Amino acid sequence: KVQVAVKTSAREFWIGLTIFVFCLSVDMIYNMLLTEPGRLHVFDSCHYIQAGLFLTIAIEHALGAASCPPANLGQMLLLDGFGMPFCAAIAALLSANKMTALALIFVQSTVIALTAVTTYACALKMKIGLAWSAAAGLLWSLYPAAIVSAGTFLSEPLSGLLVCALALAAISCWQEPRPKCWCAFGFVSGAIMVTKPALLINLALVLLILAIGLRLRLLALGRQAFKQLSIYALSIGLGAFLAILPWMIITAAFTGHAEIMPSRLPSTNMALGCDYEIGFWETMQVPPLTLHNYARNPIRVFYELATEHTFEMPAILSKKYARLSFAPFNDFHDSVF
């Protein structure tokens, strides 16, 4: 039995490595040979890349180099979070601070390949069989949106990896609720907090599902349930603290005060996404309703507009689904779609 288990484990490893190499190769080939590298600089990409480059300069300066990072690096990091500037810093180190298209696409492709392997690992944890687990990883490797996103330096690939890692940690907590599994869950949760705060809704939903699923086990423990819950909570807290600590140290060093989460200005997107007067389209100049709600609490913006304009909001919201299929959202006319 031990010998069979070892053979199965080795096979699982090599299949996972094959999925990683396959996904990395597909993304690199498509985005280096069949697309325009200029798309690496659309939307928020330039800000991420610049913050990552300045972060490498700051690291080199701390190690004795003469060049100094700009004074506004702290504000840039507070806006961008930790994940994307960190990925950009890796690309800068790989390309000797030149931020070449090859380095940026390699970093994004690696993130997507890790997501494919994490998907495969989730399927293995769910015990749906080795063949079906491999199919899940390969399907993610061939997902058109994932392939295309490797050619843009945006946060979607990293967000996908974090969500898959959260799922893997949650499955582990469900199957074997040991402190190390809950600590891993907390670590991924902390990474989400400092990288993509908008994903906290995913975290809340996963915690709710786990709580519902584990309630019978905790009820069976009787008086020991409180002790078990305390261990889980402490483990989650420790994991989250370990993930957030580097971010707190960096923000304290560059801004003078430690922060827990980046300031991504979610009210901007919420105000624009709820502006029924322009049909939720982005326009220039910024329309009055969006401008009015630009710097307000995003939940309050949504609540007020949904209650005061109960009929306009759903009517326009229903059109978003049609836009996804028929509107020119495919900016670069990628043939892969």
Side-chain angles (χ1 to χ4, degrees):
K1 287 182 180 179
V2 172
Q3 189 176 8
V4 170
V6 170
K7 286 182 179 179
T8 303
S9 179
R11 189 184 303 170
E12 291 172 354
F13 170 79
W14 287 112
I15 290 176
L17 183 61
T18 301
I19 292 172
F20 177 85
V21 173
F22 174 75
C23 184
L24 182 66
S25 302
V26 168
D27 292 345
M28 291 291 294
I29 291 170
Y30 180 83
N31 288 286
M32 289 303 297
L33 299 181
L34 302 178
T35 64
E36 169 55 50
R39 70 174 65 195
L40 285 163
H41 304 283
V42 299
F43 305 120
D44 292 337
S45 302
C46 285
H47 207 265
Y48 296 145
I49 291 170
Q50 194 174 37
L53 184 59
F54 290 159
L55 187 60
T56 58
I57 293 173
I59 294 171
E60 291 172 351
H61 179 70
L63 296 175
S67 56
C68 297
N72 66 335
L73 176 57
Q75 283 69 32
M76 294 179 70
L77 292 174
L78 281 178
L79 182 63
D80 291 335
F82 189 57
M84 292 310 295
F86 178 73
C87 290
I90 293 175
L93 292 173
L94 290 174
S95 59
N97 287 359
K98 293 179 181 178
M99 286 292 187
T100 62
L102 176 62
L104 292 168
I105 292 173
F106 176 77
V107 169
Q108 288 290 74
S109 300
T110 301
V111 169
I112 295 170
L114 288 173
T115 309
V117 174
T118 307
T119 304
Y120 163 69
C122 285
L124 285 177
K125 280 279 186 182
M126 294 165 69
K127 296 181 172 61
I128 64 173
L130 187 58
W132 285 107
S133 300
L138 289 172
L139 281 172
W140 178 260
S141 303
L142 296 173
Y143 179 39
I147 295 172
V148 169
S149 66
T152 57
F153 201 76
L154 296 170
S155 61
E156 279 69 24
L158 186 58
S159 300
L161 176 58
L162 289 173
V163 169
C164 285
L166 186 68
L168 180 60
I171 294 169
S172 300
C173 291
W174 166 256
Q175 292 183 344
E176 42 181 349
R178 293 184 290 178
K180 67 176 184 179
C181 296
W182 289 98
C183 188
F185 185 89
F187 186 87
V188 178
S189 303
I192 288 174
M193 290 174 65
V194 301
T195 301
K196 195 76 171 177
L199 292 178
L200 290 178
I201 184 65
N202 298 66
L203 174 60
L205 288 171
V206 172
L207 276 173
L208 178 62
I209 293 169
L210 278 175
I212 294 171
L214 292 172
R215 73 189 190 284
L216 293 178
R217 296 185 191 179
L218 293 173
L219 287 173
L221 290 173
R223 294 181 178 179
Q224 295 294 320
F226 179 77
K227 179 182 177 182
Q228 201 68 35
L229 276 173
S230 300
I231 293 173
Y232 293 166
L234 288 172
S235 300
I236 291 176
L238 175 62
F241 175 75
L242 292 175
I244 296 172
L245 182 60
W247 166 253
M248 294 177 67
I249 293 172
I250 288 173
T251 53
F254 293 116
T255 67
H257 51 89
E259 295 285 343
I260 294 179
M261 288 195 297
S263 304
R264 285 291 296 167
L265 299 177
S267 55
T268 306
N269 291 334
M270 184 65 80
L272 180 64
C274 293
D275 195 335
Y276 65 91
E277 293 181 348
I278 57 169
F280 307 153
W281 288 107
E282 185 173 10
T283 62
M284 297 298 287
Q285 299 286 335
V286 179
L289 186 61
T290 298
L291 199 60
H292 173 69
N293 293 308
Y294 193 80
R296 300 175 64 210
N297 183 292
I299 301 301
R300 187 170 183 81
V301 170
F302 177 78
Y303 173 77
E304 287 182 0
L305 291 176
T307 53
E308 294 174 9
H309 304 275
T310 310
F311 297 103
E312 293 95 332
M313 292 278 287
I316 301 177
L317 185 64
S318 63
K319 297 179 181 178
K320 286 192 173 186
Y321 298 99
R323 289 181 191 177
L324 185 64
S325 300
F326 304 115
F329 71 96
N330 185 7
D331 299 321
F332 295 96
H333 306 288
D334 289 294
S335 59
V336 71
F337 287 113

